[in-house]
Amino acid sequence: MLQALIFDVDGTLADTESAHRAAFNLAFAEEGLDWVWDEALYTELLNVSGGKERILHYWKSTRPGMVELAGDGLRDTIARLHEHKTAAYEGMVNDGQVELRPGVLDLIMAAQQAGLALAIATTTSPVNIAALLRKAMGTDWRSYFGVVEDASTAPVKKPHPQVYLQTLQRMGRDASQCLAIEDSANGLQAACAAGLATLITPNRFTAHHSFDAALHVVPDLQGVTVAHLQAWHADRV
Ligand code: XBP
Ligand code: MG
């Protein structure tokens, strides 16, 4: 019996990655780096979850054989870049540049009405979640979600299942009672590894990903009701 929904954030609750990409590029320019992540490159880099991990991965790709030496300040530079990026992203969200995807708010409200428990399991930073949901749902957004697990509480990023395992554990629920809602292959892999049936709502950054392991794939949550979720969940093997 479906008792809980666990939402991913980036790409699922909202199409956030264009704003993230712009924020990364602003931070690189601020640091005086000539790095520019265009959409094609960023689509590839999204295979690496986590902004800091993504920067390190890119940096290493530009300097093959690069090794981190103790005290070389690599981590500090990445932390500074990511801090500036997060501030820029938060500003974009506060300026209304990022909206929830169609059907998301209606489903959250309907699910709460139907007595489903709601949670968030994301690899993004807590600042980003708060900015997005405060803008979209108001200052009491946190009251809708019993559990929020993010980059600050689950440092091992998707496709590792840590964030979902911790979410289930804190919810005190078995994966069989829950449904994950995701947008990407990494997210699907993480949710499945935690034993979760997963609904996928792809976006233009993830439409080319393989979603064979998904319970169901829909273009977005527009018109998706709690009854749909309950029926799809009941049909899972
Ligand atoms: C998507 C991510 C995040 C964002 C950038 O998270 O992998 O890294 O791209 O946000 P989700 P940060 O699990 O919500 O799809 O820079 O804060 O990591
Ligand atoms: Mg996502």
Side-chain angles (χ1 to χ4, degrees):
M1 177 70 177
L2 181 61
Q3 294 182 0
L5 302 180
I6 306 175
F7 287 92
D8 163 56
V9 173
D10 292 305
T12 301
L13 289 183
D15 281 321
T16 60
E17 295 297 353
S18 294
H20 280 303
R21 183 176 74 86
F24 279 112
N25 286 330
L26 275 173
F28 300 150
E30 230 172 82
E31 186 76 17
L33 293 168
D34 63 354
W35 299 351
V36 177
W37 288 355
D38 64 19
E39 192 150 299
L41 172 58
Y42 193 64
T43 300
E44 237 178 83
L45 290 173
L46 275 172
N47 291 327
V48 179
S49 286
K52 289 182 188 169
E53 293 83 351
R54 196 167 301 143
I55 295 170
L56 179 61
H57 169 82
Y58 174 74
W59 199 341
K60 285 182 173 174
S61 73
T62 63
R63 288 172 48 187
M66 165 178 155
V67 286
E68 282 180 68
L69 302 172
D72 67 1
L74 186 75
R75 293 279 158 179
D76 295 349
T77 304
I78 289 175
R80 185 171 61 249
L81 280 169
H82 195 252
E83 219 174 280
H84 291 165
K85 175 264 170 183
T86 301
Y89 174 79
E90 190 184 14
M92 291 172 188
V93 172
N94 292 341
D95 289 349
Q97 292 182 40
V98 184
E99 297 198 333
L100 293 187
R101 289 185 68 180
V104 166
L105 197 53
D106 289 347
L107 183 61
I108 287 173
M109 296 304 170
Q112 194 199 46
Q113 280 282 45
L116 294 183
L118 302 179
I120 284 175
T122 174
T123 58
T124 197
S125 310
V127 170
N128 299 344
I129 309 168
L132 178 72
L133 294 182
R134 190 173 43 234
K135 186 83 182 169
M137 299 175 72
T139 49
D140 63 342
W141 71 270
R142 185 64 185 76
S143 65
Y144 287 87
F145 301 95
V147 170
V148 175
E149 283 283 326
D150 58 45
S152 67
T153 56
V156 184
K157 303 288 169 43
K158 300 171 186 175
H160 189 284
Q162 183 187 60
V163 70
Y164 278 110
L165 292 171
Q166 289 182 188
T167 300
L168 287 167
Q169 200 236 334
R170 284 182 56 202
M171 293 177 88
R173 292 185 190 276
D174 185 83
S176 62
Q177 302 165 323
C178 306
L179 180 72
I181 304 178
E182 269 283 358
D183 71 301
S184 68
N186 275 351
L188 175 59
Q189 198 177 330
C192 290
L196 286 158
T198 305
L199 172 66
I200 289 288
T201 57
N203 53 63
R204 74 172 199 287
F205 286 102
T206 64
H208 60 291
H209 288 188
S210 142
F211 297 123
D212 297 347
L215 173 68
H216 209 71
V217 180
V218 289
D220 58 42
L221 291 175
Q222 197 151 322
V224 172
T225 64
V226 171
H228 286 128
L229 300 184
Q230 284 166 332
W232 294 334
H233 186 261
D235 282 351
R236 76 199 182 289
V237 286

